[in-house]
Amino acid sequence: SSSSSSSFAAMMMDGVGVIHGDGRRRRWYSNSGDTGGGGGARTAETMAFQAETKRLLDIVTNSLYADKEVFLRELVSNASDALEKARHAALQSGGDPGALEIKITTDDEDGARLVVEDSGVGMTREELVGNLGTIARSGSKAFLDGMQGESGGADAAANIIGKFGVGFYASFMVSDRVEVISCAGERGDGKAWKWSSSGDGTFTIEEATASDDAPTRGTKIIMHVKADEKHLVSKWGVETVLKKYSSFVGFPVLLNGNKTNDIGALWRMDEKDLTDENSMAFYRFISGGSMDTPPFRLLFKADAPLTIRSLMYFPEHNPERAAGFGGTAHSGVSLYSRRVLISEKTDHMLPPFLRFMRGVVDCEDIPLNISRETLQDSMLVRKLGHILTKRILKFLKDTAKKEPKKV
């Protein structure tokens, strides 16, 4: 009828989404509307998350993570994965990957926005829909699966952090709306695409415009921060979280143009390449500024039965002295997975009589729950602790024979 035609035309003029039978909504923009100055009209397609995705998104946003600050850890880990994929692709093709870095920009005027951008592999339109529209799917997991048996794939696989598939959605804990602008560069169609959602069960996908300032290759995440979470995205707040969780990420992390991760992951080095100066700087960092000089350090690596990289220190003084009479010091051994902090104090990994130890253990085999907050398999943690305990005791026994006056 003419009235229904008029209503449909009005919906098009007003940019109102039209729901189709497949659950999708398309929104049309006029040339003078939200095109950001780009030529021609563009079509924004709104899709519904899968039913299980919507349910998991609600869990992630409201109850999965113990600390909201970990949203940034998840985004930095995802960015690191994207950079590793770009580096691997360049090695395979013999090309130049360009500058591989993570840029984080705060909005300290009103704290309304936080931007996390990487120059990694980027995503096509289909990958944005597939990786972000399906919460249980992980682009990094698909990347690893596709590399099985590929020459040189093992090294790249070992550097992939984000196999868990839902870390990105932690951004909704602090955001009313999240936009993802991504371009796959030469690997894609040459276009940049914009994904956006308020975490309400739907997301919109459309071609990015000049005003979106899309990367030529890579991904930019723009978070429109909730009013009561702005303290988490101040420059000071972001820097604190980066120092805590992401100090050892393998690519430069720039906060408002300044590099934040200057200390290397020394536990991944060989003993012959580890200098005393770097070792002491690392010890002061992980021990909270302790000024003693540990008489021994143990750099331990194993590939079976677990993949372990660890750097352990034997403090010069008993840390429990600082706890006072009858006090007990907590474990000083932090658990990492592929350079990302999982647990700062892992009390149940080593036996109580070794609680004086300080150091880092990086185990790639530790299975984590979706949030990385709680380890799924405590038996595996105990197995890890058993391996470390045997190695520490053997080191002490051997050292006692070689240098009895020091032990």
Side-chain angles (χ1 to χ4, degrees):
S1 66
S2 60
S3 60
S4 60
S5 298
S6 299
S7 298
F8 179 73
M11 290 165 65
M12 290 181 62
M13 291 287 289
D14 293 339
V16 176
V18 180
I19 297 289
H20 294 267
D22 59 3
R24 296 176 297 174
R25 179 190 291 116
R26 288 185 175 86
R27 181 180 296 128
W28 287 268
Y29 294 95
S30 65
N31 289 342
S32 60
D34 297 328
T35 60
R42 63 175 179 172
T43 301
E45 187 173 3
T46 300
M47 305 179 186
F49 288 113
Q50 292 183 348
E52 65 272 18
T53 303
K54 185 177 180 180
R55 186 165 60 252
L56 282 172
L57 178 58
D58 181 67
I59 295 173
V60 169
T61 304
N62 298 307
S63 60
L64 188 59
Y65 292 88
D67 297 311
K68 290 185 177 182
E69 65 181 18
V70 300
F71 84 91
L72 188 59
R73 177 189 70 181
E74 302 298 317
L75 296 183
V76 170
S77 297
N78 289 345
S80 176
D81 292 346
L83 293 169
E84 181 58 38
K85 294 173 191 176
R87 187 192 67 83
H88 175 74
L91 286 174
Q92 294 295 98
S93 65
D96 180 6
L100 298 176
E101 58 190 13
I102 302 168
K103 297 179 180 178
I104 301 175
T105 306
T106 61
D107 176 14
D108 282 342
E109 287 189 11
D110 58 10
R113 292 200 336 162
L114 180 69
V115 180
V116 178
E117 182 175 355
D118 67 70
S119 54
V121 71
M123 288 179 279
T124 64
R125 180 190 185 282
E126 291 72 23
E127 288 168 340
L128 276 171
V129 173
N131 292 339
L132 303 187
T134 306
I135 202 168
R137 177 174 173 173
S138 170
S140 294
K141 185 178 185 301
F143 174 70
L144 289 176
D145 292 343
M147 284 172 46
Q148 288 184 352
E150 183 180 334
S151 175
D155 290 339
N159 288 323
I160 290 296
I161 302 168
K163 297 194 299 181
F164 316 105
V166 302
F168 161 75
Y169 293 89
S171 59
F172 286 100
M173 292 192 299
V174 299
S175 307
D176 289 318
R177 183 164 57 92
V178 178
E179 299 170 358
V180 181
I181 302 167
S182 193
C183 179
E186 296 178 356
R187 187 177 61 85
D189 57 8
K191 297 179 180 178
W193 295 90
K194 181 178 181 178
W195 180 102
S196 59
S197 178
S198 298
D200 57 358
T202 64
F203 62 91
T204 300
I205 188 82
E206 59 190 304
E207 188 176 348
T209 65
S211 65
D212 291 318
D213 192 23
T216 55
R217 188 200 69 206
T219 299
K220 179 167 69 173
I221 300 174
I222 303 172
M223 284 159 281
H224 299 269
V225 182
K226 297 176 181 178
D228 57 348
E229 304 295 351
K230 290 182 178 180
H231 63 286
L232 290 174
V233 301
S234 67
K235 180 181 181 297
W236 179 86
V238 169
E239 186 173 17
T240 300
V241 174
L242 290 175
K243 292 290 186 183
K244 180 177 180 180
Y245 292 106
S246 306
S247 287
F248 306 111
V249 170
F251 298 96
V253 180
L254 307 178
L255 174 59
N256 297 337
N258 299 312
K259 189 176 179 182
T260 65
N261 55 335
D262 291 322
I263 301 177
L266 301 191
W267 63 87
R268 303 183 72 90
M269 300 175 63
D270 293 328
E271 178 65 45
K272 62 182 177 60
D273 299 321
L274 183 59
T275 66
D276 290 339
E277 182 181 359
N278 288 341
S279 176
M280 283 306 304
F282 181 78
Y283 173 71
R284 306 226 189 288
F285 179 84
I286 64 170
S287 64
S290 296
M291 298 307 294
D292 64 313
T293 302
F296 309 111
R297 67 172 182 248
L298 170 61
L299 189 63
F300 171 58
K301 298 182 180 182
D303 294 311
L306 299 175
T307 303
I308 303 169
R309 302 289 184 268
S310 68
L311 178 55
M312 310 289 283
Y313 292 89
F314 300 78
E316 185 176 17
H317 307 295
N318 183 359
E320 292 192 347
R321 290 180 180 177
F325 179 76
T328 301
H330 289 286
S331 169
V333 178
S334 299
L335 179 62
Y336 282 71
S337 179
R338 297 173 178 84
R339 306 186 188 200
V340 175
L341 178 66
I342 304 303
S343 177
E344 196 169 16
K345 293 182 175 65
T346 315
D347 287 318
H348 301 294
M349 188 163 57
L350 295 178
F353 65 84
L354 290 178
R355 61 182 177 270
F356 63 89
M357 296 292 298
R358 296 292 180 263
V360 166
V361 177
D362 192 325
C363 182
E364 299 176 7
D365 303 282
I366 294 293
L368 309 169
N369 76 354
I370 307 175
S371 70
R372 304 182 188 174
E373 295 298 314
T374 307
L375 300 177
Q376 286 178 338
D377 191 349
S378 60
M379 287 293 293
L380 189 53
V381 177
R382 285 196 288 271
K383 184 176 182 180
L384 172 62
H386 179 68
I387 294 171
L388 290 170
T389 299
K390 285 183 63 177
R391 187 64 185 86
I392 291 170
L393 294 180
K394 182 180 183 302
F395 175 84
L396 287 172
K397 183 178 179 180
D398 293 343
T399 304
K401 292 179 180 179
K402 296 177 183 177
E403 304 178 74
K405 293 183 178 180
K406 281 190 175 184
V407 178

